[in-house]
Amino acid sequence: NRIPAKGIAAMNNQGDFEIYDFDRHELGDTDILMEITYASICHSDIHHVKEEWGAEEYPMVPGHEMVGRVTKIGKNVTAFKVGDYAGVGCMINSCGTCKYCKAHMEQYCPKVVMTYHAHDPFHNNEITQGGYSSNMVVSQDFAIKIPKNAEMDKVAPLLCAGITTYSPINYVDVKKGDKVAVAGYGGLGHMAVQYMVARGANVTVFDITEEKRADALAMGAVKFVNVNNAEELKGLDNTMSFVISTIPANYDPNMYLKMLDLDGQFCIVGLPAMANMPVLSIDKFIWKGNRKVFGSQIGGIKETQEMVNYSVKHNIYPEVEKIPATPKAVEEAYENVLDGKVKFRYVIDMSTL
Ligand code: NDP
Ligand code: ZN
């Protein structure tokens, strides 16, 4: 009773995509089956496809930001009914008993099952395949309820870009009037700006694409800094209470560390290619009393549900560009993400698959 699926798969690490027929594990008693309506493209998908974080297996159907309609439920499912809208992010299962799962931080569970490119220990170690596809089978505990009044074509990016920025902003508890910064104004970065503007913070944006200056200011940032312009970087040292970096390429993290005020915090969520990893040198921060650097990975399921509810309630959505579900459109989209041409997230209309 395996479930047939159709996807758009990377066939190799050159980023060549093809239509790919495969199947998913059968519907367990606590699983839901959803028909995917929209899936979006995260820069992590590109890192994976290009093997920038390590060896991968192909064909690979990427995609860890998706939304769709529930079409079938297992006999013990209580959280969803057929016809409900559900979202799935970066993970589809975990052990449920370790200290991380108990603390609602399933993303750090040693047995967490990532949505694609992972081997699923709960299903004979079979490889998982992601959201650029017709459907998804997921444990009800890892599906997010999407309110019926949500803008469905804009919801998918919340499931990774939204939670990955919402979670550390929540953790740091950014407040009204705080001087904060977002480094890397792309899919994640433009969500970080919106969440911090909504909290009343004074947000500075750092990016390399001049065309994004007007967008940042229109989104409520007080300042846009083109990091390629040395003049604009002057006078920022020791001014920020919080900086979040979403940069996916090599850069100098020490530059942002220097911008922290006393007790300031620098959160790094952008994860560049292994071969191009930025370096944070001990000699640059040992003397910077009480300033903190921390990393963060997505967010737990409970917080993801809270983030979706909050975003829909406050009308905070990504800016999206819709593309058809074809291998060619996905290939072009990947090029454009790398070239800084997308504002700000590509959403694949899976109904066109
Ligand atoms: P995007 O490509 O959408 O955004 C990245 C942004 O960073 C772009 O605006 C880009 O510029 C900008 N940028 C690139 N180089 C620099 C630089 N030197 N200085 C300032 N800005 C720069 O990527 P995403 O937002 O989708 O993902 C960002 C990173 O976060 C990726 O590495 C991804 O893998 C990681 N990630 C981490 C997660 C976690 O759990 N920690 C979860 C999800 C993603 P432009 O495009 O304008 O040229
Ligand atoms: Zn992602």
Side-chain angles (χ1 to χ4, degrees):
N1 290 356
R2 291 182 65 83
I3 296 168
K6 182 175 170 185
I8 303 176
M11 305 310 286
N12 52 47
N13 67 6
Q14 304 302 301
D16 296 314
F17 282 86
E18 284 178 20
I19 296 290
Y20 173 56
D21 291 306
F22 62 104
D23 50 46
R24 300 190 182 274
H25 67 72
E26 67 176 348
L27 195 72
D29 292 346
T30 54
D31 291 337
I32 64 167
L33 170 65
M34 57 192 264
E35 172 191 86
I36 298 172
T37 48
Y38 297 102
S40 44
I41 297 177
C42 176
H43 204 119
S44 300
D45 297 339
I46 303 178
H47 292 305
H48 278 299
V49 164
K50 299 194 172 230
E51 295 194 303
E52 291 180 350
W53 290 339
E56 304 281 358
E57 292 169 63
Y58 304 88
M60 174 203 293
V61 180
H64 58 215
E65 296 182 332
M66 71 203 80
V67 63
R69 255 183 313 267
V70 177
T71 53
K72 204 170 174 185
I73 59 174
K75 70 175 195 288
N76 296 334
V77 167
T78 51
F80 289 89
K81 300 186 303 292
V82 170
D84 285 350
Y85 286 91
V88 175
C90 299
M91 46 190 179
I92 51 169
N93 219 334
S94 74
C95 82
T97 55
C98 74
K99 65 177 176 182
Y100 301 106
C101 289
K102 286 193 169 136
H104 301 289
M105 290 190 283
E106 301 85 359
Q107 71 272 34
Y108 302 120
C109 167
K111 287 193 179 156
V112 65
V113 186
M114 303 313 278
T115 303
Y116 69 92
H117 78 85
H119 285 273
D120 181 350
F122 306 104
H123 296 95
N124 307 317
N125 266 340
E126 70 180 39
I127 190 133
T128 58
Q129 300 288 9
Y132 303 179
S133 61
S134 52
N135 62 24
M136 193 69 191
V137 182
V138 57
S139 157
Q140 66 170 345
D141 297 334
F142 283 77
I144 305 299
K145 296 183 189 73
I146 308 297
K148 280 208 160 54
N149 62 330
E151 293 184 40
M152 291 302 167
D153 54 346
K154 295 185 181 172
V155 161
L158 296 176
L159 280 305
C160 172
I163 184 61
T164 303
T165 50
Y166 179 94
S167 179
I169 290 166
N170 209 18
Y171 174 75
V172 166
D173 196 16
V174 170
K175 292 192 172 65
K176 191 171 162 61
D178 285 357
K179 286 198 76 175
V180 301
V182 176
Y185 185 50
L188 268 58
H190 91 299
M191 294 311 301
V193 170
Q194 295 188 70
Y195 290 130
M196 295 205 285
V197 165
R199 283 168 172 256
N202 181 311
V203 184
T204 297
V205 171
F206 296 85
D207 202 87
I208 51 178
T209 298
E210 189 55 36
E211 287 69 32
K212 291 182 178 174
R213 184 180 296 271
D215 301 287
L217 300 176
M219 209 168 259
V222 295
K223 190 172 181 172
F224 177 92
V225 175
N226 186 330
V227 297
N228 290 327
N229 183 347
E231 275 305 305
E232 294 187 40
L233 286 165
K234 288 185 178 157
L236 293 165
D237 289 358
N238 306 303
T239 59
M240 304 288 174
S241 65
F242 176 58
V243 179
I244 180 167
S245 171
T246 74
I247 300 174
N250 193 267
Y251 67 103
D252 180 14
N254 301 300
M255 181 177 103
Y256 296 104
L257 194 56
K258 281 203 300 193
M259 290 178 196
L260 295 184
D261 201 354
L262 267 183
D263 290 320
Q265 305 189 60
F266 180 27
C267 177
I268 302 178
V269 293
L271 183 58
M274 298 304 278
N276 228 347
M277 203 57 85
V279 175
L280 195 55
S281 170
I282 286 177
D283 70 310
K284 295 288 194 301
F285 69 86
I286 219 88
W287 54 272
K288 298 206 62 124
N290 293 346
R291 291 154 168 100
K292 300 172 195 72
V293 179
F294 68 105
S296 187
Q297 198 193 349
I298 43 175
I301 293 298
K302 186 163 173 263
E303 195 177 28
T304 304
Q305 184 68 63
E306 178 190 310
M307 174 276 310
V308 164
N309 297 348
Y310 172 90
S311 304
V312 172
K313 183 172 167 204
H314 294 276
N315 205 28
I316 296 178
Y317 289 102
E319 291 193 5
V320 306
E321 290 185 38
K322 255 181 257 176
I323 59 170
T326 66
K328 185 161 172 283
V330 170
E331 287 170 7
E332 282 172 10
Y334 275 34
E335 293 301 321
N336 289 343
V337 171
L338 293 173
D339 292 344
K341 286 185 188 147
V342 56
K343 287 179 183 172
F344 277 85
R345 210 46 151 191
Y346 281 116
V347 171
I348 312 171
D349 181 351
M350 295 312 310
S351 69
T352 61
L353 183 67

